[in-house]
Amino acid sequence: MGDHKADINVGGTQAYLVVPSELAETILAEGYIARQRPAVPGHVDRAKAVRGMLKGQQDKGRKSKVLEIHGVPPEWIKVAPSGEGCMIETPDKKDGKPWLQPQYLRTGQALMVRGATDFLGKGCMFCGSEEFLDNSVRGKIGDAEFVGEAYLCSPCSNPPCIDKMIARSKRLDEGPTMILYHKTSKVVAESVKTQCKGKMIRGDFFDKAGAAGGGIYAGHTARECSWKYEALGAETRTLKLRCQMGNALECPYSYQPAGVESNEMLKHLLNHPDGPYDSVILDRAARPGISPKFPLPDAPVRGTRIEDVAIGEALHPGYEFVFYTWDQIEVIGEVDEDPVPKGFDKEQKGGVWVRKS
């Protein structure tokens, strides 16, 4: 087996460990014993880790919880023989079996939680009912609970809702995964690493909303983030994201459907009459009179780098990618910022920005 030493995200998560929900608290307190394996099983993908656990279960609808492995000496982590996932070769033993001590395990829950006022009185985003909801897990950002293969983006046990969440998990797994970028303040970037354990949180948590509601906004390249970020005057960082797109709704400059609250965009997309959708892509050049251009072109899009176009040629502000739940994104690192080079200026002509010099 080869070494597997890279962290999954900037929060120091090294691998995911899936355990039955009813055993999670005990395992967090006492550690994990690999009773039927020569090492502790792990995975770099939550959904695949869950499917691996279910292979050995008679109950394919079993509730499970994804724990995070962190702080393990890198030399313990080996790529599994199957090439899928990894094995933690801990030297520690308990009852004569490999034992991962509790200091190497944690939940994925961020230190910040949503207040009860954000969700009490609001039903499941799929069925609209409160009858099947588990309010004890609502508001816990980053805490990954599954029923069978379904990640509970709504903690609802109503069978038709579970089926819809299984379908969502399948869309995310089988759909495109993109490397995107997000520019923010140094303070927020550090919070992502520490308080959020490497996870992004929707803008509505901070009373912010963009051109497609209260979401997590990302750019195609680091350059395109230069005009999008809101931390004006602050020391900044550009984060590198690995994003599961699922089924993306392609839109012009903005998407603000009538009657939909900023913090209910995920519910709207998952129940869209032409959907369900899992994310939004905005063509920020598509204003009145200018049609959006899809399919999405490869980055960098012509016009997003002023130094690559001729004087008088139209510039393009880029495409913007919007997500509404943390589980579609891993923050995998920081990259150098890519500001517009000095000496390049733009001007408006006929309502379009063009290169001036």
Side-chain angles (χ1 to χ4, degrees):
M1 292 190 290
D3 291 345
H4 171 78
K5 296 182 179 180
D7 291 348
I8 294 172
N9 60 38
V10 297
T13 303
Q14 296 167 296
Y16 296 117
L17 174 66
V18 182
V19 301
S21 291
E22 69 273 15
L23 301 179
E25 291 303 320
T26 298
I27 290 170
L28 285 168
E30 300 178 4
Y32 180 88
I33 302 173
R35 297 193 181 277
Q36 299 179 348
R37 297 173 184 255
V40 175
H43 214 295
V44 297
D45 182 285
R46 293 184 198 88
K48 290 181 179 179
V50 170
R51 288 200 295 272
M53 185 272 291
L54 289 173
K55 287 180 181 178
Q57 300 288 328
Q58 290 186 339
D59 180 5
K60 302 303 180 184
R62 187 166 190 176
K63 290 189 68 175
S64 62
K65 188 181 186 73
V66 179
L67 304 182
E68 296 181 351
I69 297 173
H70 69 109
V72 168
E75 60 270 20
W76 292 7
I77 308 177
K78 308 293 182 181
V79 176
S82 65
E84 290 282 329
C86 59
M87 304 297 286
I88 318 302
E89 296 184 343
T90 169
D92 299 313
K93 303 288 183 182
K94 194 170 187 178
D95 300 333
K97 302 290 185 179
W99 174 44
L100 191 63
Q101 296 192 48
Q103 65 261 35
Y104 300 122
L105 295 169
R106 67 188 184 191
T107 70
Q109 184 180 338
L111 297 184
M112 51 193 73
V113 298
R114 291 185 178 274
T117 55
D118 284 354
F119 54 82
L120 288 182
K122 297 180 180 179
C124 167
M125 70 176 75
F126 296 103
C127 66
S129 172
E130 292 187 78
E131 179 181 356
F132 304 96
L133 288 174
D134 181 357
N135 283 324
S136 69
V137 300
R138 297 180 86 178
K140 294 183 178 180
I141 300 169
D143 210 14
E145 300 268 358
F146 283 74
V147 171
E149 294 187 16
Y151 163 66
L152 297 182
C153 58
S154 177
C156 182
S157 59
N158 191 7
C161 300
I162 296 294
D163 289 342
K164 290 180 179 180
M165 287 184 273
I166 290 173
R168 174 182 180 267
S169 294
K170 186 175 181 180
R171 288 195 306 274
L172 296 181
D173 189 43
E174 296 180 352
T177 296
M178 298 186 67
I179 298 298
L180 301 171
Y181 302 86
H182 178 87
K183 188 172 181 177
T184 187
S185 70
K186 178 183 177 182
V187 172
V188 171
E190 289 302 315
S191 176
V192 168
K193 295 177 184 178
T194 54
Q195 290 182 292
C196 300
K197 300 177 183 175
K199 301 171 184 69
M200 297 291 288
I201 295 178
R202 282 199 326 243
D204 64 273
F205 187 90
F206 307 99
D207 295 323
K208 292 183 178 181
I216 301 164
Y217 287 72
H220 224 168
T221 66
R223 169 68 64 85
E224 291 163 59
C225 294
S226 295
W227 67 268
K228 301 177 193 297
Y229 80 105
E230 298 182 355
L232 300 178
E235 187 176 353
T236 57
R237 296 288 185 269
T238 298
L239 302 175
K240 184 178 182 180
L241 317 176
R242 183 172 56 247
C243 307
Q244 291 182 301
M245 301 299 298
N247 186 26
L249 178 61
E250 298 171 342
C251 299
Y253 183 80
S254 65
Y255 182 65
Q256 297 177 332
V260 178
E261 296 292 333
S262 175
N263 63 351
E264 294 193 341
M265 285 293 292
L266 179 61
K267 177 181 177 180
H268 165 73
L269 291 170
L270 291 174
N271 296 283
H272 195 288
D274 298 324
Y277 294 106
D278 307 294
S279 58
V280 170
I281 304 176
L282 305 173
D283 179 353
R284 298 290 269 170
R287 296 174 179 270
I290 303 176
S291 298
K293 293 183 179 179
F294 290 99
L296 179 71
D298 293 336
V301 173
R302 180 74 179 176
T304 57
R305 301 183 67 81
I306 192 171
E307 65 270 34
D308 293 339
V309 303
I311 291 175
E313 186 176 346
L315 300 174
H316 195 300
Y319 289 77
E320 199 157 19
F321 305 80
V322 194
F323 306 88
Y324 300 93
T325 175
W326 63 268
D327 72 295
Q328 290 178 235
I329 300 173
E330 291 281 11
V331 185
I332 58 176
E334 289 187 11
V335 298
D336 292 337
E337 299 191 359
D338 185 19
V340 175
K342 293 181 179 179
F344 291 88
D345 297 314
K346 63 182 181 180
E347 62 182 346
Q348 271 197 319
K349 286 189 176 181
V352 176
W353 286 101
V354 301
R355 177 178 168 181
K356 180 181 179 181
S357 62

